[in-house]
Amino acid sequence: MCGLVGYIGKNLSRAYILQGLTRLEYRGYDSAGFACLSPVDHRLIYLKVPGQLHNLIKQFEEKPIDGYVGIGHTRWSTHGVASLENAHPQFDCNKTLSIAHNGIIENFHELKTALIEQGHIFHSQTDTEVVAHLFESLLATRVTLKSALLSLVNQLEGAYAIVAIMQDQPDNMLVIRKGSPLCLGIGNEEMFAASDLLAFADSTNKVLFLPDKSFALVRKDAIELY
Ligand code: GLU
């Protein structure tokens, strides 16, 4: 279990994400993190900490990052201790894509071994980091984002809800679901993603429960569901 929140839209995301994570803190509390794309140049920027959400909130006093697309996570670890490196979001080699995950990737060990052979460098003990590197590798060889996502979901075994953002896709937030809960909130030129609709209940009452075994490209005004 863990708390997963995402936002894309006309407003800065951090306040929504922290409010959502606060409401979902019952789902996980051994570390917390936030990543967003810089409003200036779409660079991926992030902050994460071991321990409870209030530690993360305090860190923003020193590093007040924010962006119009962002994701957040409170972790309840299954693979790897509660530490800074294992906190989500997790990243690819170049830190251009960022992933927050609820669940377990059962075949992470074999995927990780193959990715290390391809030259990927890992920084955490989590099963989640494998998703970021596998996606990076698929994006390098697939023609479209959709075909890379299709290949990704075909290779991942286990249960997962994933929200992801990418530096070169500033207009899209990616959501993927198999087994773990994930819903989208549809606002006015803004979209929310969360493990539980409680996270964005103040902002919209239009909710799409993502069907099991689906993924979507979420823009501020449209959802492309597959
Ligand atoms: N399996 C992942 C991890 O240990 C996600 C755990 C969770 O759902 O919080 O980092």
Side-chain angles (χ1 to χ4, degrees), residues 1-3 27-28 30-31 73-81 86-88 90 101-105 125-129 159 161 180:
M1 210 154 84
C2 79
R27 297 182 60 88
D30 67 33
S31 54
H73 187 267
T74 48
R75 181 170 183 242
W76 188 337
S77 57
T78 64
H79 292 67
V81 296
N86 290 341
H88 298 208
Q90 292 287 324
H101 162 225
N102 169 208
I104 293 175
I105 306 301
Q125 289 85 45
T126 63
D127 50 339
T128 305
E129 192 181 5
S180 302

Side-chain angles (χ1 to χ4, degrees), residues 58-73:
K58 190 145 181 51
Q59 287 287 315
F60 285 116
E61 289 167 15
E62 281 166 38
K63 193 178 171 187
I65 57 170
D66 211 344
Y68 294 96
V69 52
I71 58 176
H73 187 267

Side-chain angles (χ1 to χ4, degrees), residues 47-63:
L47 194 58
K48 52 186 193 172
V49 296
Q52 293 181 14
L53 183 62
H54 62 80
N55 295 344
L56 179 71
I57 292 170
K58 190 145 181 51
Q59 287 287 315
F60 285 116
E61 289 167 15
E62 281 166 38
K63 193 178 171 187

Side-chain angles (χ1 to χ4, degrees), residues 176-197:
I176 312 174
R177 167 166 193 247
K178 183 183 162 208
S180 302
L182 192 59
C183 56
L184 297 176
I186 302 162
N188 173 19
E189 282 186 65
E190 58 187 353
M191 301 279 186
F192 306 83
S195 316
D196 182 331
L197 59 86

